[in-house]
Amino acid sequence: MSQKFIKRNESFVCQNCGFFNTEDKNGSCRNHCAECLYSMHLDIYPGDRKSYCKSLMKPMYMEMKGDNIVIYHKCISCKILKKNKASREDNLSILYEEKK
Ligand SMILES: [Zn+2]
Ligand SMILES: [Zn+2]
């Protein structure tokens, strides 16, 4: 049933801040920048890279889900909202500060 989920864990240069992201050391999907938390709208289903949008996705807010932190990203172009699991390396203070 979850065949559509393709795991991607690749290094990339952030299109927003230019930070070089190495692959996630904990083995989860590195799909957003650890420094500014921006993501890219590349996928229709996680990892498929089939979206034609390819715009930046802005981190909006985060939520605790059990032991995990989920970051909600909104595409600056098509406004779609997606959630992504945060990595331990992520600079989550950006979202903490916005909540003040
Ligand atoms: Zn960045
Ligand atoms: Zn989009």
Side-chain angles (χ1 to χ4, degrees), residues 42-84:
L42 300 175
D43 304 333
I44 296 171
Y45 296 102
D48 68 3
R49 298 296 189 264
K50 290 218 171 92
S51 172
Y52 293 107
C53 184
K54 309 231 185 335
S55 296
L56 281 167
M57 296 190 74
K58 187 181 191 302
M60 303 303 289
Y61 55 94
M62 60 184 174
E63 205 175 79
M64 289 297 293
K65 295 257 184 202
D67 289 336
N68 297 313
I69 297 169
V70 175
I71 304 172
Y72 288 81
H73 286 100
K74 191 177 190 181
C75 180
I76 58 170
S77 171
C78 69
K79 315 289 185 214
I80 194 173
L81 194 67
K82 282 174 176 272
K83 52 183 180 182
N84 286 290

Side-chain angles (χ1 to χ4, degrees), residues 6-96:
I6 304 160
K7 201 167 179 181
R8 299 265 179 177
N9 192 15
E10 301 160 336
S11 56
F12 66 96
V13 175
C14 176
Q15 300 289 306
N16 180 57
C17 73
F19 181 76
F20 181 78
N21 289 271
T22 53
E23 65 242 59
D24 195 299
K25 291 172 196 72
N26 306 309
S28 61
C29 287
R30 165 58 64 203
N31 56 11
H32 56 270
C33 178
E35 195 61 30
C36 69
L37 303 181
Y38 270 69
S39 180
M40 294 282 286
H41 190 191
L42 300 175
D43 304 333
I44 296 171
Y45 296 102
D48 68 3
R49 298 296 189 264
K50 290 218 171 92
S51 172
Y52 293 107
C53 184
K54 309 231 185 335
S55 296
L56 281 167
M57 296 190 74
K58 187 181 191 302
M60 303 303 289
Y61 55 94
M62 60 184 174
E63 205 175 79
M64 289 297 293
K65 295 257 184 202
D67 289 336
N68 297 313
I69 297 169
V70 175
I71 304 172
Y72 288 81
H73 286 100
K74 191 177 190 181
C75 180
I76 58 170
S77 171
C78 69
K79 315 289 185 214
I80 194 173
L81 194 67
K82 282 174 176 272
K83 52 183 180 182
N84 286 290
K85 217 172 109 182
S87 161
R88 262 174 269 173
E89 295 145 41
D90 287 350
N91 180 22
L92 294 170
S93 59
I94 291 172
L95 291 174
Y96 282 121

